[in-house]
Amino acid sequence: MDLHTKNGTDTPGSLSQTISREISLKDVGARKDSGCGVFQSKDPIVQLDKDIEARTGGDDVHGSGSSHPTSYFETLMHHFKCNVGSGIFALGDAFKNAGLVLAPTLMVFLGIICVHAQYILLKCNEEVRRRLGSSLEASPGYATTVELCFATGPLAVRKYSVFMRKSVNLFLCITQLGFCCVYFVFISSNVKQVMGVWGVDLDLHVHMAIMLVPILLSTWIRNLKLLVPLSSLANVLIVFGYVATIYVISHDLPAISERRYVADWSQLPLFFGTAIYAFEGIALVLPLKNEMIKPKNFDRPLGVLNVGMIIVGCMFIAIGFLSYLRYGEEVAGSVTLNLPEKELLSQCIKLAISLSILLTYALQFYVPIGIMWPEFVHQFGPFNYPVVGEILFRTTFCLITFILAEVIPQLGLFISLVGAVSSSALALIFPAIIEIVISWQDAKLNKFTFFKDIVILGIGFLGCFTGTYASIAEIIHVFNKGE
């Protein structure tokens, strides 16, 4: 895609007109950028009306024209709910792979880098909006921001703009479908323990097959307004599960000296995968900011982003530290699986969290469907029975997540694999790349910025490759042992 003017130069006015003409920003807005578009407004995960409008060809799915602007406190609650999910209960396993002293240090370091990457995305989003001005009909989401950074960047990289948008959407789909796979394993593992206490001793794979029925039915709900009350219930259940889990595992703690302070270096990639899985929430930041009454309160020093991530980070470290301290090398892929099986409170915790995750599956699943289904219709449609076609499409991908979960029923390794493969790309790699592109175009690519972004890219690629390799190697090892 060549976006330069006829004389080979760009002025602010001509660039805006050229971008508007050749990329067709109205089309960009119409394209489903659900990587962040579904994460907004009244519900912390979805803004229903705008998302449905976007899927049918409306503007991009968020922006300052929100009909339900949120206050500082409301946005903080949305930010909290969107960052606390099944990954938080896997952090004991992450601490096992780093050590009782090294893990908190690495969590703080990784958290700072992830938050900085989110600031990079916010800054680049503001820059492309400034460049395009009135040509931009709506505030771009994550994938569209990446595309426009390349489309308005140096001439040498503009031809990659559409490819970069599709790459972001691909990783968003991988991430969200990976979450859905993890949900199958998480729910079934916890329900299996509870049912076993009551004499119903079924294989884990059978429990997954049983869970497929309600999960599949929930994915057929195309109007997510029906799921908003269930989403609110899920939020209450997950908070109860976290608080109750902390209460249970904080009793009868052993001495710190009984645990490893620093784990084997070969285990660090598994730590990275699980930690980045828990921290990966970058797709939230643009819609959450744009939905605020005062968007500037999102990224100021004591704004939603900093305060929210400090709270979430402290929660992550607390449960990870206590889980590993309490259960040591026996800590499971979800600490809920370590809770006393016959105690009533432990059973309530497992059922509450499992129900919360079950109610969340359809919302997470909606993200990749919102990206893939319009593209599928564009390639193979229109269909005589579009509703039936979409339900069959949803069924197919739900079955794919079920099959993958059946193949890899090791919860901790599955979480680490998903985090390493896709979360690292979204949380670290893409933000660093677009900052280099933006700074290069503005002639502001100083040595510090370039070095800093290269470090972030190095951490992202190193974590991605080593984490993926270590996770797959462990999965193969488990299969060879017949576990």
Side-chain angles (χ1 to χ4, degrees), residues 15 119-133 136 140 145 148-149 152-153 286 289 434-435 437-444:
L15 177 61
Y119 273 102
I120 290 175
L121 178 61
L122 290 169
K123 182 184 73 172
C124 292
N125 178 265
E126 292 176 358
E127 177 59 24
V128 295
R129 292 169 67 179
R130 183 193 65 79
R131 290 180 182 180
L132 299 175
L136 196 59
T145 295
L148 295 181
C149 284
T152 61
L286 290 174
K289 178 179 180 178
I434 62 175
E435 184 174 41
V437 170
I438 286 286
S439 300
W440 181 8
Q441 173 66 13
D442 293 342
K444 296 179 181 178

Side-chain angles (χ1 to χ4, degrees), residues 194 237 240-241 244 339-341 343-355:
V194 175
L237 293 173
F240 162 76
L339 300 180
E341 295 185 14
E343 290 187 7
L344 181 60
L345 178 58
S346 297
Q347 295 177 27
C348 291
I349 292 172
K350 295 171 187 178
L351 291 177
I353 297 174
S354 297
L355 180 58

Side-chain angles (χ1 to χ4, degrees), residues 108-122:
V108 172
F109 176 71
L110 188 58
I112 291 173
I113 293 179
C114 288
V115 172
H116 178 69
Q118 294 175 12
Y119 273 102
I120 290 175
L121 178 61
L122 290 169

